Amino acid sequence: MIAATSKRYRLITELVAFWIIRLSAGLVVLTLGGIVLFLLYRGAGAVNWAFLTESPTDAMTRGGIFPAIIGTLYLTIGSSLIALPLGVASAIYLSEYAGDGWTLRLIRLGIQNLAGVPSVVFGLYGLALFVVFFGFGVSILAGSLTLGFLVLPTIIGASEEAIRQVPATFREASLALGATKFQTICRVVLPSATPGVITGSILGVGRAAGETAPIMFTAATFYTRHMPSSPFDQVMALPYHIYVLATSGTHIDQTRPLQYGTVLVLISLVLGINIFAIIIRTRMRRKKTW
Amino acid sequence: MVATSDIVIEVRDLDFYYGDIKALRGVSLDIKINQVTALIGPSGCGKSTFLRLLNRMNDLIPGTRVEGRVMFEGKNLYDEDVNPVDIRRRIGMVFQKPNPFPKSIFNNVAYGPRLNGIKDKKKLDELVFQSLKQAAIWEEVKNSLDKSALSLSGGQQQRLCIARALAMAPEVLLMDEPTSALDPIATSRIEELVEVLKKDYTVVIVTHNMQQAARVSDDTAFFYMGEMVEMGNTERIFTKPEKQQTEHYITGRFG
């Protein structure tokens, strides 16, 4: 009798726990779905071909967001160009050369803390260092550098993980053939780690694409009709444009649909980047057989 | 009595430490040219550790230390002016588990020659062909050189790894239990191959399998608890061992 009760009790506990966990997971998906649906509802009306390909007009109460799309694209590409080589090189150093000691621990601590620095601090730091001290001005270059440093910890983390997953037997085989450590890294380790490095980096960069604070003082401008012609030009950018529309407009009624439209474009871009990364990962995983 | 010139590797008083643990004690033995030397002994006896000392692969393990001499063509491999990278190009190695790179069959074999700076396509083609042929796998892969090496069977992968090592034209080939991960048919193909290879190379093979040592080797060294107990002509070791430990091991009383 006692045995039967305790069994029943166990079953119920199990069931309750299972449903709590299941609902928590469901809630995450629901939140994302809710955001997307809400944005579609509010913003889809504003998005059309002209919106995507034209400049804003009439004090940004009409027209499109083309310069902001282009600006965000430049900043995203620019920050990848800066963060990817730097991040991969750091990851190689940490996983292959650094050994184990207090220097390594110090570097790791630094990277972890860098990841925890609020993005607005990156923005101010970028302003002080790149815009003012190096004299790059408010520009694509300064913004890309700032965003690049923001995503650096993510890229280092992803790359290190990918490098660690390369089987030791590959390294051993290469070294036994008389390859140097550097040759082994270039010819065996990195090619095998590439899928992981790429996926992790794209995910990191996707996050950077949506950041406002770091580019606010370093790259973004309130309004320009001109397409950037050099890395030293300032640009409009989607996140900053949203911020501007939401806070500085004088004709809120007229700008609100444009604002939701811009948000929809931005989130599509970020989700698109993430999905792209996931597709690459799945395809490369299928090819990987070790 | 063997003339000194027949000896390729001369090991004298070799001690080896993993941290504080002494894994090899005073090992001295000679590896003869164009012969197959088998290293046998129970697990943990130090035979694999010893093998990896012959091309300085143990350098890669942190906290290890070597004392004594490994003379290779008159030069101690552990002299300070010796670069392990050069040694590994001259003394090749095949591992316990086949470990081809996740590259095409061709690129696996061409890996070593490319390290040597060979870029000429014709030369590489020729080297790949020769190496695959020598490793007795050419006929099976000649139409699929562009395929991933990982698509091959385990036995084929191991012969590919042998071809990859041969492409460096090493003087000595070290084999660390090369058949322990393979089925009996693949094993016998590797054994036949070893038989042929000794015409051009000096082979040192670690094996768990005493029948294998008896089948393929000319000389056998028996290791036990980090010491080299007895070495000699394989037939003699297996029929008239001098030491009791050797006899106990080969008759299956332990190990």
Side-chain angles (χ1 to χ4, degrees):
Chain A
M1 198 56 209
I2 293 166
T5 330
S6 82
K7 192 176 175 189
R8 202 188 154 85
Y9 175 74
R10 271 209 311 271
L11 269 174
I12 290 171
T13 323
E14 182 94 340
L15 213 64
V16 169
F18 171 72
W19 273 101
I20 289 175
I21 293 165
R22 186 174 223 192
L23 284 175
S24 313
L27 205 64
V28 175
V29 179
L30 221 65
T31 311
L32 180 68
I35 292 174
V36 172
L37 280 179
F38 172 72
L39 290 177
L40 276 174
Y41 171 67
R42 299 295 291 265
V47 179
N48 53 43
W49 185 244
F51 185 70
L52 297 174
T53 55
E54 284 172 13
S55 295
T57 53
D58 301 305
M60 292 200 278
T61 55
R62 281 160 211 257
I65 53 164
F66 184 61
I69 296 177
I70 291 299
T72 288
L73 226 54
Y74 276 141
L75 287 170
T76 310
I77 293 169
S79 57
S80 322
L81 287 181
I82 289 155
L84 200 60
L86 217 57
V88 173
S90 312
I92 291 172
Y93 174 74
L94 288 174
S95 57
E96 303 282 322
Y97 285 102
D100 199 18
W102 68 270
T103 11
L104 182 70
R105 260 173 273 155
L106 203 68
I107 294 173
R108 274 193 206 292
L109 199 70
I111 293 169
Q112 277 160 17
N113 279 298
L114 194 65
V117 172
S119 58
V120 66
V121 177
F122 272 100
L124 286 170
Y125 180 73
L127 172 67
L129 187 70
F130 304 124
V131 178
V132 179
F133 185 75
F134 285 133
F136 296 150
V138 174
S139 61
I140 297 177
L141 182 62
S144 298
L145 284 163
T146 311
L147 281 178
F149 282 105
L150 178 84
V151 294
L152 206 49
T154 318
I155 294 188
I156 294 174
S159 307
E160 228 192 312
E161 184 56 33
I163 289 171
R164 278 191 201 288
Q165 276 178 7
V166 177
T169 55
F170 291 177
R171 293 186 178 84
E172 204 174 45
S174 172
L175 293 166
L177 285 164
T180 63
K181 192 164 184 176
F182 187 66
Q183 285 172 326
T184 300
I185 291 168
C186 293
R187 297 175 190 221
V188 177
V189 178
L190 282 186
S192 308
T194 303
V197 171
I198 298 285
T199 321
S201 305
I202 295 176
L203 288 172
V205 164
R207 197 180 94 91
E211 283 287 347
T212 316
I215 56 169
M216 204 156 160
F217 319 117
T218 58
T221 179
F222 186 74
Y223 171 69
T224 175
R225 296 186 61 92
H226 301 290
M227 288 299 129
S229 58
S230 90
F232 294 101
D233 286 349
Q234 32 184 300
V235 284
M236 289 181 74
L238 290 171
Y240 186 62
H241 190 61
I242 293 165
Y243 173 76
V244 167
L245 289 178
T247 57
S248 319
T250 41
H251 307 281
I252 300 292
D253 298 340
Q254 287 167 311
T255 53
R256 184 154 291 157
L258 298 182
Q259 183 195 327
Y260 279 114
T262 313
V263 172
L264 187 62
V265 171
L266 177 62
I267 203 157
S268 311
L269 192 78
V270 173
L271 287 181
I273 290 175
N274 289 358
I275 290 168
F276 179 62
I278 291 164
I279 290 172
I280 291 189
R281 181 167 60 194
T282 327
R283 290 189 57 168
M284 300 237 189
R285 266 200 196 144
R286 222 176 287 146
K287 276 210 302 205
K288 185 161 103 174
T289 44
W290 71 79
Chain B
M1 196 57 210
V2 193
T4 326
S5 60
D6 288 345
I7 294 167
V8 188
I9 298 177
E10 195 182 309
V11 181
R12 289 295 173 267
D13 307 316
L14 195 68
D15 292 334
F16 182 75
Y17 301 84
Y18 288 107
D20 294 331
I21 301 158
K22 197 168 184 178
L24 287 175
R25 300 154 199 276
V27 176
S28 297
L29 58 77
D30 296 335
I31 307 285
K32 288 181 224 147
I33 195 163
N34 293 107
Q35 295 226 331
V36 178
T37 303
L39 311 177
I40 61 168
S43 299
C45 67
K47 57 193 190 302
S48 283
T49 301
F50 177 79
L51 188 79
R52 294 167 64 95
L53 282 168
L54 299 183
N55 68 344
R56 293 195 56 173
M57 282 303 278
N58 284 337
D59 287 23
L60 306 170
I61 305 168
T64 57
R65 191 156 52 87
V66 183
E67 280 165 19
R69 283 176 300 151
V70 179
M71 305 300 288
F72 175 52
E73 296 179 346
K75 178 99 185 130
N76 182 3
L77 293 188
Y78 286 89
D79 274 353
E80 283 199 2
D81 59 340
V82 172
N83 185 347
V85 167
D86 297 331
I87 295 306
R88 294 183 200 129
R89 289 180 189 205
R90 296 171 63 197
I91 303 180
M93 189 163 211
V94 175
F95 296 85
Q96 198 167 353
K97 232 182 113 212
N99 57 357
F101 299 123
K103 300 174 186 287
S104 71
I105 293 169
F106 183 93
N107 285 336
N108 261 278
V109 184
Y111 186 86
R114 281 185 179 134
L115 291 175
N116 278 338
I118 298 175
K119 288 198 185 94
D120 182 48
K121 176 82 176 106
K122 254 191 179 158
K123 235 179 188 170
L124 284 176
D125 280 345
E126 178 63 22
L127 268 168
V128 169
F129 165 71
Q130 288 296 346
S131 310
L132 289 170
K133 192 121 189 150
Q134 272 195 306
I137 188 177
W138 171 253
E139 287 303 322
E140 291 155 68
V141 300
K142 63 180 176 187
N143 295 321
S144 51
L145 293 177
D146 292 333
K147 265 202 190 161
S148 167
L150 302 174
S151 66
L152 298 174
S153 73
Q156 288 174 324
Q157 285 188 9
Q158 194 61 302
R159 276 178 285 142
L160 177 69
C161 290
I162 294 173
R164 184 175 64 184
L166 296 181
M168 291 300 274
E171 287 142 81
V172 180
L173 190 60
L174 309 177
M175 304 178 105
D176 189 0
E177 301 194 32
T179 61
S180 64
L182 305 181
D183 64 58
I185 293 167
T187 298
S188 77
R189 297 210 57 175
I190 302 271
E191 287 181 8
E192 285 163 22
L193 178 57
V194 169
E195 203 61 41
V196 178
L197 286 176
K198 73 173 185 187
K199 286 199 198 90
D200 299 307
Y201 304 90
T202 303
V203 179
V204 185
I205 183 168
V206 165
T207 175
H208 225 77
N209 176 330
M210 278 179 287
Q211 284 77 28
Q212 181 167 70
R215 280 192 299 262
V216 303
S217 72
D218 302 293
D219 277 347
T220 296
F222 170 62
F223 281 72
Y224 185 61
M225 307 262 289
E227 282 177 47
M228 204 277 287
V229 176
E230 184 173 0
M231 180 177 188
N233 176 277
T234 298
E235 209 181 307
R236 193 207 34 89
I237 292 280
F238 279 93
T239 51
K240 284 185 289 224
E242 280 164 9
K243 303 271 170 65
Q244 208 182 14
Q245 283 169 322
T246 316
E247 194 182 338
H248 282 176
Y249 183 68
I250 59 171
T251 52
R253 247 178 261 182
F254 70 90

